[in-house]
Amino acid sequence: MKIQGARATNPALSLAEQCVDSSMPKAMREAHSALDTEVDRVFSYTSLPSLEDRRATLLRCYMEQ
C-alpha cells in the first residue's frame, strides 16, 4: 500500500520512470525499502539478501501457489 501511495505522489512519471534506481523518487525508495524489510522478516532471512535473492524467493513462492 505504501508503494501505491508513493507512486501516486508522482502521477506524471510512468511506473518505469519511478522504478529506476538512479532517479527513483525518495518516497518510492522509502516504500520499497520498507517492503524489502518486511519480505526479509517474513522469509526469515538471517543475512541481508540481494535483490536477486528476494526476487527468486518471491517468484518461487508465486509459482508454488
Side-chain angles (χ1 to χ4, degrees):
M1 202 62 159
K2 289 181 182 181
I3 291 175
Q4 289 176 331
R7 284 184 58 202
T9 64
N10 293 291
L13 297 177
S14 70
L15 177 58
E17 291 169 322
Q18 290 190 37
C19 289
V20 174
D21 251 357
S22 61
S23 62
M24 187 181 291
K26 182 180 179 190
M28 188 71 142
R29 187 177 312 281
E30 289 171 352
H32 272 280
S33 179
L35 179 59
D36 289 347
T37 299
E38 188 63 17
V39 168
D40 295 349
R41 185 190 66 75
V42 167
F43 289 102
S44 302
Y45 285 118
T46 56
S47 61
L48 185 64
S50 68
L51 178 58
E52 292 77 22
D53 292 335
R54 285 187 189 106
R55 286 179 179 166
T57 298
L58 293 172
L59 182 58
R60 187 171 42 256
C61 289
Y62 174 76
M63 293 176 69
E64 291 174 359
Q65 296 299 320

